[in-house]
Amino acid sequence: MDHIFGFIGLGLIGGSIAKGIKRSMPSAKIMAYMRTRSKLERAHEDGIVDVILEGVTEELRECDVVFLCTPVEYNARYLETVRPFLRSGAILTDVGSTKSDIHRVVTELDMEDCFIGSHPMAGSEKTGYENATDHLLENAYYIITPTAKTRQEDIYRMVTVAHLIGSIPIVLDCEEHDRIAAAISHLPHIIASSLVNLVRDSDSPDEMMKRLAAGGFKDITRIASSSPVMWEQICMTNTDNIISMLEAYIHSLEDTLEDLKEHNGSAINQLFDSSRTYRNSFVSTSRGSVTPDYSFTADVVDEPGAISTLSAILSARGINIKNIGINHIRDHGEGALKVSFYDRESMELAWKQLLKFNYQLIRFQ
């Protein structure tokens, strides 16, 4: 297994990959460069980065794998800069969420023999190295997009890297990846942002819509809090696929609008029935582009001590709670308290413990 890794950019994803590598392979040597020196120094203090690079320099020749972890637009620009410092047999990869654009540049630069695209399908509304964790990419799909000249042994090396950080590797053609990403990631972000803006523009002066926004609305618009700069670049590098999916979505909304105008109850029923059946068939253990919400709700009586009692039960078992909040609107049968945790294991332990004390608990789907 390769032991020396280079990083150009060390934000949320790059930092999480580096931390995941160090957790599984403490002997690995990691060198990194980014414009914000203070974050590199923090990573060095954390024991994650062994060598702070002053730029794209000769030191990269030591690396077995070099990760491009800057925004998608800049990753392509770094290709030519990094190429002179790649040793023979080294792999250059990126972590961008669009792949066809950078693969096109790779082909133009005749770098297909050393480049393999990748896309770790996990993330957070928060950005930066300070929010990176060694488990962010655990059980997340790690898409690997080889070129026409990629050697099978190099694909295996990237698969091994994905396993090293706890991810689930899947090898895809870069164009197929972008078509899929447009449907399941890029379009949903556009829809979420558009829906938030619709509510903002439709709200009354007393902002009652904003006040009452909860439950399903907050769930489906959570991703609207993501970085505007990042999503502008994604939309500009996967434009054709997004347009195709957006047009299909608009047509489906137009059909639904007509069904509503015609008071076609059976068509509306079919809309919800077919979507429920398909949605319930999804595998729930894999991560998407936003960090999972490890939460459930508890049905409790609104009385003094209710929150402290629940907290004491869990703390007695050493279970860390991320947050406890009151559900002011419970439009899907949720309990009065929403309890959130840092990971699935803590959530499951808390669930079992509270059941012993006869709490009525409701899971999020």
Side-chain angles (χ1 to χ4, degrees), residues 57-110:
T57 62
E58 192 75 24
E59 292 165 288
L60 287 174
R61 292 190 190 278
E62 297 181 43
C63 296
D64 301 294
V65 181
V66 177
F67 293 89
L68 299 178
C69 302
T70 65
V72 289
E73 178 183 338
Y74 301 118
N75 281 339
R77 297 179 187 177
Y78 270 111
L79 289 170
E80 199 165 12
T81 306
V82 173
R83 179 165 63 173
F85 303 107
L86 288 178
R87 66 165 180 78
S88 177
I91 294 174
L92 178 62
T93 188
D94 76 316
V95 298
S97 57
T98 60
K99 302 264 64 84
S100 298
D101 188 65
I102 194 167
H103 272 269
R104 175 183 55 78
V105 179
V106 164
T107 301
E108 292 172 355
L109 295 175
D110 193 24

Side-chain angles (χ1 to χ4, degrees), residues 125-362:
E125 298 92 338
K126 298 179 180 179
T127 60
Y129 173 81
E130 60 274 18
N131 293 301
T133 71
D134 63 5
H135 55 274
L136 179 69
L137 305 176
E138 280 188 340
N139 299 315
Y141 288 124
Y142 195 103
I143 309 302
I144 296 167
T145 58
T147 72
K149 297 181 181 179
T150 299
R151 300 179 304 170
Q152 191 61 42
E153 54 263 41
D154 288 341
I155 296 176
Y156 176 75
R157 288 166 66 194
M158 286 305 302
V159 166
T160 304
V161 169
H163 283 308
L164 187 66
I165 60 177
S167 297
I168 304 168
I170 294 180
V171 179
L172 285 177
D173 173 77
C174 64
E175 293 184 0
E176 177 67 2
H177 165 276
D178 284 0
R179 191 182 73 85
I180 293 171
I184 68 171
S185 177
H186 306 162
L187 178 61
H189 276 80
I190 292 175
I191 293 170
S193 297
S194 298
L195 183 55
V196 169
N197 288 339
L198 175 64
V199 169
R200 179 201 63 196
D201 296 340
S202 304
D203 209 352
S204 54
D206 62 359
E207 295 190 324
M208 190 56 68
M209 285 186 182
K210 180 180 179 180
R211 179 179 178 183
L212 298 181
F217 182 83
K218 292 187 73 174
D219 288 341
I220 66 174
T221 60
R222 185 161 60 103
I223 54 178
S225 297
S226 300
S227 165
V229 174
M230 179 182 75
W231 280 98
E232 176 190 353
Q233 292 188 356
I234 287 173
C235 288
M236 294 301 99
T237 55
N238 198 24
T239 308
D240 291 343
N241 284 309
I242 294 173
I243 288 173
S244 176
M245 290 296 171
L246 184 56
E247 287 177 340
Y249 181 63
I250 290 172
H251 289 325
S252 73
L253 289 179
E254 290 172 341
D255 290 341
T256 300
L257 178 61
E258 287 303 311
D259 291 332
L260 287 170
K261 287 180 177 179
E262 296 172 7
H263 216 69
N264 188 344
S266 61
I268 298 301
N269 180 281
Q270 176 61 24
L271 168 70
F272 289 114
D273 183 65
S274 60
S275 63
R276 179 183 65 173
T277 299
Y278 185 59
R279 174 63 176 79
N280 288 344
S281 71
F282 288 6
V283 176
S284 61
T285 55
S286 61
R287 293 191 174 188
S289 59
V290 176
T291 306
D293 184 9
Y294 298 117
S295 305
F296 57 73
T297 63
D299 191 15
V300 299
V301 177
D302 184 9
E303 59 185 14
I307 294 178
S308 59
T309 298
L310 185 147
S311 299
I313 291 171
L314 298 182
S315 62
R317 289 297 305 272
I319 300 171
N320 291 325
I321 300 173
K322 182 178 182 181
N323 189 42
I324 296 181
I326 298 173
N327 282 333
H328 294 290
I329 295 179
R330 298 184 280 279
D331 49 7
H332 295 287
E334 301 95 333
L337 293 181
K338 179 180 179 181
V339 192
S340 301
F341 304 88
Y342 290 98
D343 52 56
R344 184 177 299 278
E345 182 181 7
S346 297
M347 181 182 71
E348 296 296 345
L349 289 173
W351 178 276
K352 293 177 181 178
Q353 185 67 8
L354 292 177
L355 286 179
K356 293 179 182 179
F357 286 82
N358 298 317
Y359 277 87
Q360 297 295 314
L361 307 176
I362 300 95

